Amino acid sequence: MVLPLADQLLLDELRRESLAVLERVLGLEREVALLDTPRHRNLGDSLIWAGTLAHLTELGHQVVHHSDLGRFHDDDVRGLPGTAAIVLSGGGNLGDRYQAEEDFRRHIVTSVRGRDIVVFPQTMHYGSTAEEARACADYSGNDRLTILLRDHASLERAREVMPAVATAFCPDAGLNAPVGPIGPSPGGRVAVIARHDGETAPADRGHPAGDWSFTRSNSAQWAVVLTAGRIHRRLPGPLRRPWAGVSRAANARLLSLNMEAASQQYRGARAVATNRLHGHILACLLGMPHYVADNSYGKVSRVFRDYSGRFSTAHLVGSLDEAISSAAAVTA
């Protein structure tokens, strides 16, 4: 199965646009440290991370260090090569909704000096103007920081409230994730990916549909591989560095397990219904007809209207119920 020609051309265009921006802000063939590695079962974050790794590989960058929030130590950054840049994960946590990720990013920005720091493509959304002002003060204090925004509304807001910070538009990194199209399955089921958290739109709250799911085998392997990370977190500095290779291999396996689960959830479906941004992005990459509803503050529709809605398989609807009913009417 291959993507429709127009969709493949669009995907190639978006990937080239991303690479051009990243080459401008990071250069070519340099050492980088990746921070805020996702070690959880939100498959959208894994899609972003897989795309991030692919981008860096294409630009010839060497990853010399990586860590997630739970395994980060300040002395790891102090031990980096002098010219190494820091890359912070993209996603939808540039704001006050996901405080752990926001606090970590601001800690890096305010504590690290003399290094290029690049925040990969984010949606920016602060519910509190006071918190937004405090965050912007932190970000504006580092003249080596570049923040990439994955939708134009976020870019405009960032430029308005922190004009001293270098910013640029860059499509979502998940679009560069190495997944191949599988296409719809005639007579297959409807795959439903429904979020159930603070980002859920009012119309979709309490919906009985399930979220990302995992086979027993996948879940069992995940639990085993996590052990390496738990050991790494508890080791003292002299022992932590030799263990870093094991921890890195464990992270790679966790990413692989999540990517396998994501594709598996769509395999055998004739269409997809979702209110998750990366439920939508993954369906675009897989060539699956799909219907996507917005989240609570317009994150999905911003990206959809800027570029992802140009995929022929993508349709924006008003609610998850409408997405499910529309997907059910699809015959592959």
Side-chain angles (χ1 to χ4, degrees), residues 254-272:
L254 294 176
L255 175 59
S256 175
L257 287 168
N258 273 0
M259 295 297 290
E260 290 170 12
S263 294
Q264 180 61 35
Q265 198 157 351
Y266 285 10
R267 193 167 286 114
R270 72 174 183 271
V272 176

Side-chain angles (χ1 to χ4, degrees), residues 91-175:
N93 54 53
L94 182 60
D96 51 6
R97 184 173 294 274
Y98 300 98
Q99 203 61 50
E101 287 80 4
E102 172 74 357
D103 289 347
F104 177 77
R105 182 169 44 245
R106 286 160 66 177
H107 169 73
I108 295 297
V109 168
T110 56
S111 65
V112 176
R113 289 291 184 268
R115 291 189 187 279
D116 293 334
I117 301 174
V118 179
V119 178
F120 265 46
Q122 282 273 355
T123 293
M124 179 172 170
H125 175 77
Y126 289 88
S128 163
T129 54
E131 184 59 27
E132 181 182 63
R134 286 189 289 270
C136 292
D138 285 344
Y139 292 132
S140 299
N142 192 319
D143 62 2
R144 299 285 293 272
L145 171 67
T146 301
I147 299 178
L148 304 179
L149 290 310
R150 64 185 179 186
D151 66 87
H152 287 98
S154 292
L155 178 64
E156 291 169 11
R157 183 60 180 169
R159 288 179 170 172
E160 177 184 349
V161 296
M162 44 182 175
V165 177
T167 55
F169 171 76
C170 186
D172 183 82
L175 287 164

Side-chain angles (χ1 to χ4, degrees), residues 200-223:
T200 307
D204 297 339
R205 288 173 189 163
H207 200 285
D211 202 349
W212 300 115
S213 64
F214 311 91
T215 65
R216 289 183 179 179
S217 173
N218 187 288
S219 296
Q221 292 179 68
W222 177 274

